[in-house]
Amino acid sequence: MPDSPASTTPVLVVGSGPTGLTLAIDLARRGVGVRIIEKSADFPRSSRAKGPNPRSLEVLEDLGVVDAVLAAGAAPLPMRKYRGGAVIADAEPFAGLRPTPDAPYDRPLMIAQWQLEEVLRARLAEYGVRVELGSELVALAEGEASVTATLAGGARIEASYVAGCDGGHSAVRKLLGIPFEGKTDETQQMVCGDVEIEGLDRGFWHQWFDEDGAVMLCPIPGTRSGWWFQAGPETDASGAPVPPSLAGFRRLFAKHTGLPGDRLSRAALLSTYRVNERLAARYRAGRVLLAGDAAHVHSIAGGLGMNTGIQDAYNLGWKLARVASGLADPALLDTYEEERLPVAAEVLDISAERLRATLEAIKKPGGGLDSAVGPGTNGLGGGYRWSSLAASPLATPRLRAGDRAPDAPCRDAATGAPLRLFEVFAGPHFTLLGFGTGTARALAEATEAHGEHLRAYGVDAGCPGGLADHEGHAHSAYGVGPDDELLILVRPDNHVALIAPGGDSRAIAAYLNGAVAQRI
């Protein structure tokens, strides 16, 4: 029997990878009831994605898990490139980067996907939510006020909204009949797996690129002898790729490294990777939404897959929470596709270009995966200037509405304690920054009217509870001059919502009562 209407779940998340877990945490911390189901009987132990990029690390900080993630992972390793078994070159693509006041994370983190998922599941459990394993979605039926999700075995879950975060083979997307347009390049294949190897220097990401194939081995952080294994596949007499196996991995290892094949003692989670480039035609169908690989897949070059999914969930979380809680009109959910589908299309282009650059680089001795690192892969340049939620004519020399809101080290004006802007932003609320003493009245009025969902801070404005920009980093990052009087409203996903003159509290009220509110 289906759940009774009284037990309707506000949001059902389908899929417990990084995208689904991020969304579930974001909803749960906002007090929204959520269930998360996973068709697998056990949690996967695959290493798969190699870790979050700088923008995803900012998201994970807001979710309260970045310290645990950093402790479980490791900084990117130098890449050692070989040709004919000999060392040709070492490369450190992130060596020249340093954290800056506006961007505290300067490089991606290496962490096995299963380790990241463990951290996220632990955080979700703090809100009393646990992944429901062995729950395979087989049908969806949308009614007037809810969606009925039917599981294998006949159990049904009634939910106000459903989020499909169930990967490239998404059952949710298929049940909705949403086209997944693009291409699969069968000529670009790679065999992958997690292997155990002894006697190889774990201080490098080793890359053997030869004219007749390649092997790439990267040590898995937190393990003694675990490695990510990637290689061009073996082929049979007809030239067809051979499925991955322990014996095949040993042959490829011995062939390209010149080391004994039996040093590779174990191979698990074997798979064949093909370059897929596909984008869902839409991200929303009524009360059902798509995120992560369910909505877009692309080349692994640049490491953007998991990261784009995490950032999808971060964009969707606050909007879905407001709608599910009755604080906003369901039309707010249309801005999720409006903002994130163009980002996914751009990611397709970036990853395709990074793949092209890498394939070109490895034709020559010394070329390697460092060519996959390039513009757009850190995730920090993204924004939503085109969005209907960014209809603000005022801008600064550094920022426009829709841009990522920068970090900056400040101090608590009352206590002198260090306080970063990202710490001020953290949580489910909007944040209003007032630059200049003339913003004090607008900050007070906004707090009185919207204090339950808004936190307001004067930046060197002489306001109680304000921030001292003691080194000028906040003014610099936001492009605000010393004599400027500006209000900057920051969304719960740390993007600039609105820039207004310092005394214009009506613009703040209009935004919070209109663009992201329940329309009567």
Side-chain angles (χ1 to χ4, degrees), residues 140 142 147 161-164 172 176 178 283-290:
L140 286 171
E142 183 171 347
V147 181
Y161 291 92
V162 173
V172 174
L176 294 174
I178 293 177
Y283 281 19
R284 181 187 180 197
R287 293 179 172 269
V288 186
L289 302 109
L290 301 176

Side-chain angles (χ1 to χ4, degrees), residues 150-385:
T150 303
L151 309 182
R156 287 186 280 179
I157 299 172
E158 201 81 11
S160 298
Y161 291 92
V162 173
C165 307
D166 50 342
H169 299 288
S170 172
V172 174
R173 187 189 65 245
K174 292 174 182 178
L175 289 169
L176 294 174
I178 293 177
F180 203 37
E181 298 165 348
K183 63 182 180 180
T184 299
D185 188 347
E186 294 290 349
T187 67
Q188 293 294 334
Q189 293 192 20
M190 186 166 60
V191 290
C192 310
D194 291 1
V195 303
E196 298 283 334
I197 297 176
E198 298 287 352
L200 196 61
D201 189 342
R202 293 181 63 83
F204 293 92
W205 184 344
H206 302 272
Q207 302 167 17
W208 291 266
F209 289 108
D210 298 314
E211 292 184 3
D212 59 348
V215 165
M216 294 150 279
L217 284 164
C218 184
I220 301 173
T223 67
R224 186 185 67 82
S225 56
W227 296 77
W228 283 294
F229 181 101
Q230 298 168 293
E234 295 181 298
T235 56
D236 61 20
S238 68
V242 175
S245 66
L246 172 58
F249 279 15
R250 283 175 167 170
R251 287 191 295 269
L252 288 165
F253 177 78
K255 174 184 175 181
H256 292 286
T257 71
L259 299 171
D262 59 7
R263 285 198 184 181
L264 195 158
S265 59
R266 177 179 173 272
L269 303 164
L270 309 184
S271 64
T272 298
Y273 169 80
R274 297 169 177 81
V275 174
N276 267 314
E277 296 178 339
R278 296 183 184 276
L279 183 62
R282 61 188 190 277
Y283 281 19
R284 181 187 180 197
R287 293 179 172 269
V288 186
L289 302 109
L290 301 176
D293 286 355
H296 46 76
V297 294
H298 42 79
S299 158
I300 60 174
L304 292 167
M306 178 188 73
N307 289 290
T308 306
I310 287 173
Q311 292 155 37
D312 284 346
Y314 194 48
N315 181 286
L316 176 59
W318 70 275
K319 298 172 181 177
L320 187 52
R322 290 183 70 84
V323 172
S325 301
L327 297 172
D329 189 280
L332 178 62
L333 296 176
D334 290 335
T335 68
Y336 166 60
E337 177 182 308
E338 178 189 1
E339 293 183 343
R340 292 304 297 173
L341 195 150
V343 169
E346 183 181 20
V347 167
L348 283 168
D349 291 339
I350 292 171
S351 60
E353 172 55 28
R354 291 298 92 209
L355 177 62
R356 185 207 61 76
T358 302
L359 292 176
E360 189 64 30
I362 63 176
K363 293 177 182 179
K364 301 175 183 179
L369 299 184
D370 48 310
S371 297
V373 179
T377 59
N378 65 10
L380 297 177
Y384 312 117
R385 290 184 174 185

Side-chain angles (χ1 to χ4, degrees), residues 92-154:
E92 294 188 60
F94 305 105
L97 300 179
R98 297 291 183 272
T100 59
D102 64 327
Y105 307 104
D106 64 334
R107 63 196 65 203
L109 183 79
M110 290 174 55
I111 182 173
Q113 186 169 320
W114 63 266
Q115 293 171 310
L116 175 60
E117 290 171 358
E118 281 189 345
V119 171
L120 293 171
R121 286 198 300 270
R123 181 61 167 166
L124 184 59
E126 293 177 13
Y127 297 102
V129 181
R130 286 175 169 79
V131 176
E132 300 172 37
L133 292 168
S135 301
E136 181 180 1
L137 179 73
V138 296
L140 286 171
E142 183 171 347
E144 184 176 341
S146 65
V147 181
T148 301
T150 303
L151 309 182

Side-chain angles (χ1 to χ4, degrees), residues 101-102 406-414 416-421 433-436 457-463 465-482:
D102 64 327
D407 194 12
C410 297
R411 294 191 185 279
D412 185 303
L419 187 61
R420 293 165 51 221
L421 288 185
L433 300 177
F435 289 88
Y457 298 85
V459 183
D460 283 342
C463 305
L467 301 171
D469 187 17
H470 59 298
E471 295 180 318
H473 291 303
H475 281 77
S476 175
Y478 284 75
V480 180

